């Protein structure tokens, strides 16, 4: 799975009950474990002993967890609970109907689109586990394996998303605005947003 080296593979089933019976949760989240997840499996444990890449102060181990789903719905709250309950960095693989998608949690959950399970691959890039983790996050969010300036790239992504949302709101208001002065002010704001978006795209 994911074309990972055999030295990191674990392939151990993790009982779902461990998460929803022994951790503080809600009935709705427990329902996600019961109704949406068939089983949880630890696919791999990426650490210095298994891959000969040293850890650092932030990352000592990266675990790959497979969630075999009963349908195509993603149990986001259950995934959040698992992410909060395990101190290691986690890459989630959701699998259903010979398709999979990858998820990681940074400031929030990020995910790829669905892709054929057989074609899904993960590049292990970096001279430390911290760099390797940033590379994994980059592969999920940006579709490339670069670990350089991940924090900056994420900040620009968040800013771009906020600006695009504001741009939609400005354009809607401008279409319905009757007063010329306000309409012109909205047009100026639209141009300013577009200019900042262009700058951010150039820095990406």
């Amino acid at each position: 799975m994911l074309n990972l080296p055999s030295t990191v593979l674990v392939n151990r089933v993790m009982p779902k009950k461990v998460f929803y019976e022994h951790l503080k949760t809600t009935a709705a989240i427990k329902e996600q474990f019961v109704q949406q997840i068939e089983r949880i499996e630890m696919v791999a444990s990426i650490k210095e002993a298994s891959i000969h890449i040293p850890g650092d102060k932030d990352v000592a181990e990266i675990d790959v967890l497979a969630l075999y789903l009963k349908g195509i719905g993603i149990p986001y709250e259950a995934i959040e609970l698992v992410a909060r309950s395990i101190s290691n960095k986690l890459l989630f693989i959701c699998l259903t109907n010979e398709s999979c998608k990858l998820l990681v949690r940074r400031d929030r959950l990020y995910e790829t689109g669905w892709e054929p399970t057989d074609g899904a691959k993960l590049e292990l890039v970096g001279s430390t586990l911290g760099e390797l983790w940033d590379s994994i996050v980059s592969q999920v969010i940006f579709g490339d394996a670069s670990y350089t300036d991940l924090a900056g790239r994420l900040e620009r992504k968040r800013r771009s998303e906020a600006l695009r949302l504001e741009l939609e709101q400005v354009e809607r208001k401008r279409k319905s605005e009757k007063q010329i002065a306000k309409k012109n002010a909205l047009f100026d704001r639209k141009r300013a947003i577009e200019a900042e978006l262009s700058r951010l795209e150039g820095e990406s």
Side-chain angles (χ1 to χ4, degrees), residues 56-71:
D56 56 27
K57 62 183 180 65
D58 296 317
V59 183
E61 184 174 336
I62 303 164
D63 294 329
V64 181
L65 299 186
L67 277 62
Y68 291 84
L69 306 181
K70 298 180 180 181

Side-chain angles (χ1 to χ4, degrees), residues 15-180:
K16 295 186 294 182
K17 290 183 178 181
V18 170
F19 298 103
Y20 64 76
E21 288 189 352
H22 300 287
L23 297 172
K24 186 177 181 180
T25 185
T26 65
I29 294 176
K30 179 180 178 180
E31 189 75 2
Q32 288 189 1
F33 278 101
V34 174
Q35 298 297 330
Q36 293 183 254
I37 302 174
E38 185 70 42
R39 73 178 190 276
I40 301 174
E41 183 177 306
M42 180 179 284
V43 175
S45 176
I46 302 171
K47 52 190 175 182
E48 184 171 0
S50 64
I51 202 170
H52 304 299
I53 295 176
D56 56 27
K57 62 183 180 65
D58 296 317
V59 183
E61 184 174 336
I62 303 164
D63 294 329
V64 181
L65 299 186
L67 277 62
Y68 291 84
L69 306 181
K70 298 180 180 181
I72 61 172
I74 304 298
Y76 292 107
E77 289 81 7
I79 291 172
E80 284 274 8
L81 180 66
V82 175
R84 292 196 305 269
S85 68
I86 297 177
S87 60
N88 298 332
K89 302 299 184 183
L90 296 175
L91 171 68
F92 295 92
I93 316 170
C94 288
L95 300 110
T96 184
N97 298 327
E98 299 184 354
S99 296
C100 72
K101 71 161 54 195
L102 307 181
L103 299 94
V104 293
R105 192 181 192 288
R106 191 79 175 195
D107 55 302
R108 59 179 173 85
L109 281 176
Y110 293 90
E111 61 188 311
T112 65
W114 290 103
E115 59 181 311
T117 303
D118 290 344
K121 294 182 180 180
L122 188 70
E123 293 184 59
L124 301 184
V125 178
S127 59
T128 67
L129 290 180
E131 290 179 352
L132 194 154
W133 171 244
D134 282 354
S135 173
I136 290 173
V137 173
S138 180
Q139 289 174 68
V140 172
I141 300 175
F142 298 108
D144 64 62
S146 174
Y147 53 78
T148 304
D149 190 31
L150 179 62
R153 295 172 74 194
L154 283 171
E155 179 56 37
R156 289 190 290 274
K157 176 180 173 62
R158 287 190 289 268
R159 179 60 180 159
S160 293
E161 289 173 347
L163 286 170
R164 288 192 180 94
L165 179 60
E166 184 185 356
L167 183 60
E168 291 177 4
Q169 295 169 343
V170 167
E171 288 178 333
R172 283 198 300 269
K173 288 180 181 178
R174 185 168 173 268
K175 287 179 180 178
S176 60
E177 182 57 59
K178 303 301 182 184
Q179 295 185 27
I180 297 299

